[in-house]
Amino acid sequence: MTRLVRSLTTTPTPPPRTPGAGLNYPDVGATAADRLPSGYRHLHHTVRIGRGEDAFETAGAAVTTWQMHRASGARVRSRAVRADPGVLVEVSLGLGPLRFTAPCEVIWTAYEEDRTGFAYGTLAGHPESGEESFVVDLHPDGSVWFTVTAFSRPAAWYTRLAGPLVPHLQHAYARHLGRSLRRIVEG
């Protein structure tokens, strides 16, 4: 009995998780740069979603609190209320057995006067390998724009098998996010 009690009380605690340790790609932070890395499929989608400070603030909050993703029909799980570097987030899309789960980690954030957003990178278990950013910009003319920028390559057998279909699905989802965000901004 003493041996059992001793083993239960001396169980070591796991070491703290190091941010970025589980990312499954080497080009961390590249969505913040002007050029995306080679060797990946690239995605760049920009859409006007509104006008004025109120639209900018509403859109920025919706993007960084996962509201935009949820409004698009995605399930989002995160212990954090908003995007900050190192935050883990799991996004899943689809229905029933065709639901794909995508574990990610927030890489960078922008909480600026005329720019709000974040990027997350893929973790082990994600069907793709790469990074995606979601940014809202307030232009000098008062127009508010939403941009999705991403680079990715297949990381699972089914995304490799889907081949050229995946970029089309990614572009369709980026357009869907833009429409969802516009609806949020319009109230």
Side-chain angles (χ1 to χ4, degrees):
M1 180 69 171
T2 305
R3 227 179 269 160
L4 177 61
V5 171
R6 185 175 300 134
S7 70
L8 289 175
T9 58
T10 60
T11 304
T13 22
R17 188 183 163 283
T18 305
L23 296 169
N24 66 357
Y25 66 102
D27 304 291
V28 177
T31 53
D34 289 335
R35 277 186 53 155
L36 296 177
S38 61
Y40 298 89
R41 292 183 306 258
H42 296 167
L43 167 79
H44 187 83
H45 176 71
T46 300
V47 61
R48 184 178 169 165
I49 56 163
R51 182 168 192 76
E53 287 281 337
D54 287 344
F56 171 70
E57 289 176 17
T58 299
V63 166
T64 58
T65 62
W66 327 121
Q67 181 188 3
M68 174 194 64
H69 282 81
R70 288 185 174 112
S72 76
R75 288 186 189 166
V76 179
R77 289 181 12 174
S78 179
R79 292 184 180 187
V81 176
R82 76 175 204 165
D84 280 306
V87 164
L88 300 178
V89 60
E90 187 178 273
V91 179
S92 61
L93 296 165
L95 298 169
L98 296 178
R99 179 165 290 281
F100 297 96
T101 300
C104 301
E105 180 179 330
V106 176
I107 301 302
W108 58 261
T109 57
Y111 292 100
E112 301 166 13
E113 188 176 313
D114 59 357
R115 186 171 189 253
T116 303
F118 73 96
Y120 52 45
T122 58
L123 296 169
H126 194 293
E128 292 283 302
S129 173
E131 195 171 290
E132 189 167 21
S133 68
F134 311 92
V135 177
V136 177
D137 289 297
L138 175 62
H139 288 203
D141 68 356
S143 61
V144 180
W145 296 81
F146 171 62
T147 302
V148 178
T149 303
F151 61 91
S152 65
R153 57 183 167 217
W157 66 268
Y158 51 89
T159 51
R160 282 190 289 279
L161 185 65
L165 181 61
V166 173
H168 294 290
L169 294 173
Q170 290 172 326
H171 278 89
Y173 185 61
R175 288 189 301 273
H176 182 60
L177 287 174
R179 287 190 301 273
S180 299
L181 190 56
R182 186 181 298 124
R183 281 193 300 275
I184 292 168
V185 167
E186 291 171 352

